[in-house]
Amino acid sequence: MHRQADLQPVTLDVGTAVEHALADEVGDLANVEQQGYPQARASYTFLLDSPAKAIDGQDLHIDTPSSRWTNYGSPNAVDGLVVGYGVPTPVSDLRISFYDDGGGVRTPDSYDLEYLGVGGRWQPLPGQQRIRLAVAVETPQSGLIPVRPNAAVQVTTTIKASTTTVVSPELLVPDAWKAVPRRAIRPTRVETGKTLRIRWLVTAPAELPDGLPQPLRLVVRSRGNEGGAVRHQCGCLDAGELR
């Protein structure tokens, strides 16, 4: 530790640097500038969204700005998003984050992962290991959590996993609101079929905004326990509103 009485320039010896080998993994599906490859297209896209935004490298989970693809308003029973590398590319880890605004855009009832095989035929992606999460924000029967200006209320969230997994939850609130867990949030192991309950203190701003009720969203990132590549899933729920 170095201390000195003034702000004069100083040179410190920090010793020999140690090089650490990094994992040979890159986000091949991310196209931040939305130019060239990879390219995304869809069977149907809501006019305010874009397939390219599904692979823009951002995972915002908010309504605005938009960083997503949705098929809101689609006349089709089933829709799909296709991402092309341009050349055959090996994939070891695929991470999907679903968007749910609690209204017209909801998480899918089911989904398939396929790859374009020899002869141009779509085939199921082999060796899939999925983690399904049931996430909820507990609310009164009305679905609304009453709040007062500049006062905190307790909100309880629950997470239940279909397979033993490690979860990292986050409660998202509108601008000027605050959400603080009653206990420190750390990655937590949830056993198969067990439920993790977390209590939060949600504080409304001194001046409640117009347009109430406001949305409250629980985001959960999970990591499987099977070893090898880490697999993530993000469950979003806009259940429960503040007023």
Side-chain angles (χ1 to χ4, degrees), residues 154-155 157 169-171 178-186 198-202:
Q154 179 171 283
V155 175
T157 61
E170 181 182 5
L171 192 62
K178 296 180 181 179
V180 180
R182 297 295 297 263
R183 295 183 178 179
I185 293 293
R186 298 182 178 89
I198 301 175
R199 293 175 175 82
W200 312 73
L201 289 180
V202 176

Side-chain angles (χ1 to χ4, degrees), residues 14-201:
V14 296
T16 304
V18 178
E19 294 185 2
H20 297 277
L22 300 178
D24 188 18
E25 293 184 356
V26 294
D28 287 323
L29 279 179
N31 187 342
V32 179
E33 296 182 355
Q34 301 181 26
Q35 297 179 1
Y37 285 94
Q39 293 180 346
R41 57 185 174 84
S43 56
Y44 181 89
T45 302
F46 179 52
L47 59 87
L48 297 180
D49 299 323
S50 166
K53 291 182 179 180
I55 58 171
D56 64 359
Q58 301 186 77
D59 186 11
L60 301 180
H61 290 285
I62 55 178
D63 299 333
T64 304
S66 169
S67 175
R68 60 185 176 268
W69 163 77
T70 76
N71 64 338
Y72 178 71
S74 173
N76 307 322
V78 177
D79 281 302
L81 176 72
V82 177
V83 180
Y85 287 102
V87 296
T89 303
V91 176
S92 62
D93 183 0
L94 182 60
R95 307 179 186 187
I96 303 175
S97 184
F98 291 117
Y99 175 74
D100 186 333
D101 66 4
V105 180
R106 308 309 301 264
T107 56
D109 294 330
S110 63
Y111 66 95
D112 296 318
L113 295 175
E114 300 177 323
Y115 72 98
L116 192 62
V118 178
R121 298 182 60 182
W122 289 102
Q123 302 178 30
L125 194 66
Q128 297 183 39
Q129 294 177 308
R130 301 186 184 183
I131 301 170
R132 292 178 173 84
L133 298 176
V135 299
V137 178
E138 295 185 353
T139 66
Q141 188 173 3
S142 65
L144 300 175
I145 301 173
V147 299
R148 292 177 299 172
N150 206 30
V153 297
Q154 179 171 283
V155 175
T156 301
T157 61
T158 60
I159 305 168
K160 186 175 182 179
S162 63
T163 304
T164 298
T165 184
V166 176
V167 299
S168 298
E170 181 182 5
L171 192 62
L172 304 183
V173 293
D175 290 342
W177 295 68
K178 296 180 181 179
V180 180
R182 297 295 297 263
R183 295 183 178 179
I185 293 293
R186 298 182 178 89
T188 303
R189 178 186 173 96
V190 180
E191 301 291 341
T192 302
K194 300 296 184 179
T195 299
L196 174 66
R197 299 172 66 87
I198 301 175
R199 293 175 175 82
W200 312 73
L201 289 180

